[in-house]
Amino acid sequence: MVRVEAFVWSALVRLLLGVLPAERVLRVFDAFPRRRCPAEAVEPLSERQVALAGACLGRALARSQYLRTRRQPHAVVFGVRGSVAAFAAHAWLEPYDAPGDDFIELRRIAR
C-alpha cells in the first residue's frame, strides 16, 4: 500500500510542478484530507521511494504530503548556497533531513 501511495504522490508532484510553483502545489495538496486516526509516529518515505517526483524539490513535496496525510508535523525548507558562479538550491524536510553544507534557509513552510 505504501508503494502505491508513494507512486501516486510522486506522479502528482511531477505533473503539478510542471505547471505550478511549489507553494501552489502544496496548497493543492492541502485540499486532500488527512487520515482520521490520531497521529502515530511514522518515518517519511525514502528518497528512493519517491524518485519519480524528480529532483530534491519534487521528492521533498511528495514526502511531505505522505507525512501530512498521517498528521506528522514537519516543514518543507528551501535553501541556497554559493555565488553567481557556483549557485545551488536545495529543498528538504525538517526535522527528518539535514540541509547539507552551507545552505542558507530562504523559506520554510510548516505542514
Side-chain angles (χ1 to χ4, degrees), residues 19-98:
V19 295
L20 298 173
E23 289 189 31
R24 293 272 315 267
V25 172
L26 290 175
R27 278 186 263 162
V28 168
F29 281 169
D30 286 344
F32 286 90
R34 295 179 185 203
R35 294 177 183 237
R36 291 185 181 163
C37 59
E40 295 177 12
V42 64
E43 288 295 313
L45 296 170
S46 71
E47 296 277 324
R48 185 170 166 249
Q49 288 174 297
V50 293
L52 176 64
C56 61
L57 175 60
R59 292 189 311 266
L61 297 181
R63 294 169 70 219
S64 173
Q65 184 61 11
Y66 176 82
L67 291 170
R68 189 188 87 64
T69 60
R70 286 161 176 75
R71 299 181 183 272
Q72 297 297 301
H74 65 283
V76 178
V77 184
F78 305 96
V80 295
R81 73 172 176 201
S83 62
V84 174
F87 178 80
H90 187 47
W92 64 93
L93 296 180
E94 280 194 354
Y96 301 102
D97 303 327

